[in-house]
Every structure is written in C-alpha cells, then in structure tokens.
Amino acid sequence: MKTWTKTININAPIENVWKLLDGSLADMQKIMPQVIENKPVKVTEEGVGSIYRQKYKEGKRIETYDVETLEYSNTPDKKILKVGFVLTNLFEITAYYELNKINETETSFTYSVTNNALKWFVKLFLLFASDKVVVQFLERVKTVAEAQD
C-alpha cells in the first residue's frame, strides 16, 4: 500500500474550493475532466455512507465504479471529504480532501491518496509510483479555484 499527502495554499475562499470537490458534475469536471458521470446510488443525510456511481474515461476506455463517502464534514472553517473505491478490481483507492480556511480569501488544501494493490502482480507497479499525480491534481485545483469568482 502506498500513501501520498501534499498541501497547497489557494488564493480563493474555502467555499469556492469546496464546490469543486463536493459540487455538481460540471464543477467536478473542472478539476477531474475524465469523470464523465457521477450519479447517486444511495445518499445519506450526514454524507457518510453515500454512494455515487462514477464513469471515468481514460482514452477510449470507460471504467464504471462506485465511490463511497467514508468521511464528511462541512463547517465554515474546515471541510473534509474522504471517499473510497475499487478501480478495475486491481486497486483499492481512498482519496482524502481537507480544506482549512486561512482567511476570507485564502484556503489551505490537503490532499491524501492511498493506493492498495489487490493483486500480487500489481504491487510491483506501486513500487515505482510517484507523487506526480497528487502534485498535478493540487496544482489543477489551485489554478481552477483561483481563476473563478
């Protein structure tokens, strides 16, 4: 199992950044353009336990998987979203997003992802995995959030 965690400061209000992570499909696609569908399967009042069926396009291939909300907190100064899903029956992935309000126009964003190989032969790939995708995601969220008003 591999875990990567990175933090970045974003010059945008916490609500603007949160909307990209916990908003509509159109908002989500601004930072995750490969997600082409995000339909609720089960929605709970408190958020935790909610399940969304996502479709993800990689080249010409479309993967469908269920994303479960494992942790959810939405307060004015701190927001947390943790989701988990299994990708192609090979990887169990959790993504943890934490937003902390620095002030009215600045937000601290921590992104942590855990990748657990479900098959022995896939574990070899994880040995060579880097944090490049995590850093790119943080930069994309920062760029998109700072560009909108």
Side-chain angles (χ1 to χ4, degrees):
M1 181 162 62
K2 272 227 160 147
T3 301
W4 299 271
T5 302
K6 296 285 180 189
T7 301
I8 195 168
N9 284 354
I10 299 174
N11 295 313
I14 192 169
E15 293 299 334
N16 291 17
V17 183
W18 183 242
K19 189 172 75 166
L20 297 171
L21 300 168
D22 190 44
S24 67
L25 175 62
D27 286 327
M28 185 188 294
Q29 287 175 323
K30 292 175 186 173
I31 58 170
M32 296 181 243
Q34 303 93 332
V35 175
I36 57 171
E37 195 173 283
N38 189 46
K39 289 190 173 172
V41 174
K42 174 181 144 190
V43 178
T44 66
E45 214 171 288
E46 63 280 350
V48 174
S50 293
I51 298 172
Y52 291 84
R53 181 147 304 135
Q54 279 189 359
K55 288 189 177 178
Y56 181 91
K57 188 172 184 177
E58 186 70 50
K60 292 183 179 186
R61 199 175 76 234
I62 295 175
E63 295 289 339
T64 302
Y65 49 89
D66 289 347
V67 178
E68 181 176 2
T69 303
L70 305 171
E71 199 174 328
Y72 188 89
S73 176
N74 184 357
T75 66
D77 295 333
K78 183 174 188 166
K79 300 176 184 304
I80 294 172
L81 175 62
K82 181 178 182 181
V83 297
F85 57 96
V86 174
L87 194 57
T88 63
N89 292 321
L90 297 175
F91 299 100
E92 183 179 47
I93 298 169
T94 59
Y96 176 84
Y97 312 99
E98 181 179 320
L99 301 178
N100 286 288
K101 181 178 179 177
I102 297 171
N103 57 46
E104 295 306 315
T105 60
E106 202 173 359
T107 304
S108 171
F109 174 36
T110 300
Y111 175 51
S112 184
V113 66
T114 302
N115 194 329
N116 183 28
L118 299 175
K119 308 265 193 263
W120 68 268
F121 57 89
V122 183
K123 291 181 182 177
L124 297 172
F125 292 108
L126 283 182
L127 293 175
F128 303 103
S130 74
D131 65 356
K132 186 175 128 187
V133 173
V134 173
V135 171
Q136 287 173 339
F137 180 71
L138 283 174
E139 291 293 337
R140 188 165 49 249
V141 172
K142 179 179 173 68
T143 301
V144 170
E146 290 178 354
Q148 59 186 14
D149 272 324

